[in-house]
Amino acid sequence: MAAYSPLADELHGLLPQTQCTRCGYDGCRPYAEAIAAGVADINRCPPGGETTLQRLAALTGRPAKPLDPECGEAGPPRVALIDPSRCIGCARCLPPCPVDAIVGAQRQLHVVLDDLCTGCELCIAPCPVDCITLVPRAAQAPRSPEPAAADNLRRYDAHRTRRERREAERLALLAERKARAARLSTRGSDGAA
Ligand code: SF4
Ligand code: SF4
């Protein structure tokens, strides 16, 4: 993690917190830090669109040039939609969703909560049956506004904390199993001697 930078903090506050990685960085925070460090340009955030671009330009004093096509296009807000007739309930779409907008259990139908979905697309590639598509938010959820950036960030932090905890638990269990196996094999070789 880069050293603390007040500019990175301010830039981070201007980003939409969709954590979609389309900027080429591992989330909105690393992108903000890269802009502050002068290693990334300000035109790499499609979900933020023209509004975010202008705000980043105003804060950094850099020229607001067109969005980098390498990062994809800005567009109307979209949400993910799971085709219920094809979902096999494998749960592979749950871990990549940075804001926990998908609900479901093993071998059960999974559903996207439109109010929480940021349209980041991160759930699409892991789905083994390609049953997730992105649809215009206006068509799918006309009454639900885009989730606020602050809510996205709160959910992303909770999601990341939980995943880090689970990973730590998994590694601890692995280490414990290895230690037990080593003890058993030592006891076995002592018994044979
Ligand atoms: S449901 Fe899919 S598109 Fe929506 S926020 Fe989660 S990962 Fe992104
Ligand atoms: S990855 Fe696809 S098939 Fe698996 S639970 Fe999610 S939507 Fe259903």
Side-chain angles (χ1 to χ4, degrees):
M1 186 129 169
Y4 174 68
S5 146
L7 176 58
D9 258 9
E10 281 191 81
L11 290 164
H12 185 228
L14 297 178
L15 296 172
Q17 307 304 329
T18 58
Q19 317 300 339
C20 66
T21 73
R22 289 163 72 187
C23 56
Y25 292 86
D26 197 22
C28 299
R29 179 83 216 181
Y31 179 42
E33 286 166 0
I35 296 173
V39 294
D41 214 334
I42 60 170
N43 63 339
R44 304 184 62 79
C45 179
E50 189 62 24
T51 312
T52 297
L53 180 61
Q54 293 299 339
R55 288 179 181 154
L56 295 174
L59 182 60
T60 58
R62 295 188 209 167
K65 43 189 173 179
L67 276 173
D68 186 333
E70 183 192 285
C71 306
E73 285 166 21
R78 299 185 296 170
V79 289
L81 178 65
I82 294 176
D83 179 347
S85 66
R86 292 167 50 214
C87 173
I88 57 172
C90 68
R92 287 193 204 160
C93 51
L94 295 180
C97 178
V99 290
D100 297 328
I102 304 175
V103 288
Q106 280 290 343
R107 288 184 290 285
Q108 304 294 321
L109 173 61
H110 285 52
V111 175
V112 176
L113 303 176
D114 300 328
D115 296 2
L116 305 182
C117 175
T118 66
C120 74
E121 305 181 24
L122 294 174
C123 55
I124 294 181
C127 176
V129 292
D130 295 327
C131 73
I132 308 178
T133 51
L134 279 188
V135 297
R137 173 175 286 278
Q140 178 66 12
R143 280 176 303 286
S144 81
E146 272 187 85
D151 291 337
N152 295 342
L153 183 56
R154 187 175 46 74
R155 300 187 71 79
Y156 176 57
D157 286 343
H159 173 84
R160 232 180 14 169
T161 308
R162 197 175 43 257
R163 289 198 58 193
E164 284 162 4
R165 191 185 60 240
R166 282 200 188 137
E167 181 61 7
E169 285 164 2
R170 190 184 67 81
L171 294 174
L173 192 61
L174 261 182
E176 190 197 316
R177 283 189 184 143
K178 272 198 188 134
R180 197 183 311 135
R183 282 197 302 276
L184 287 174
S185 70
T186 315
R187 216 178 291 154
S189 53
D190 289 351

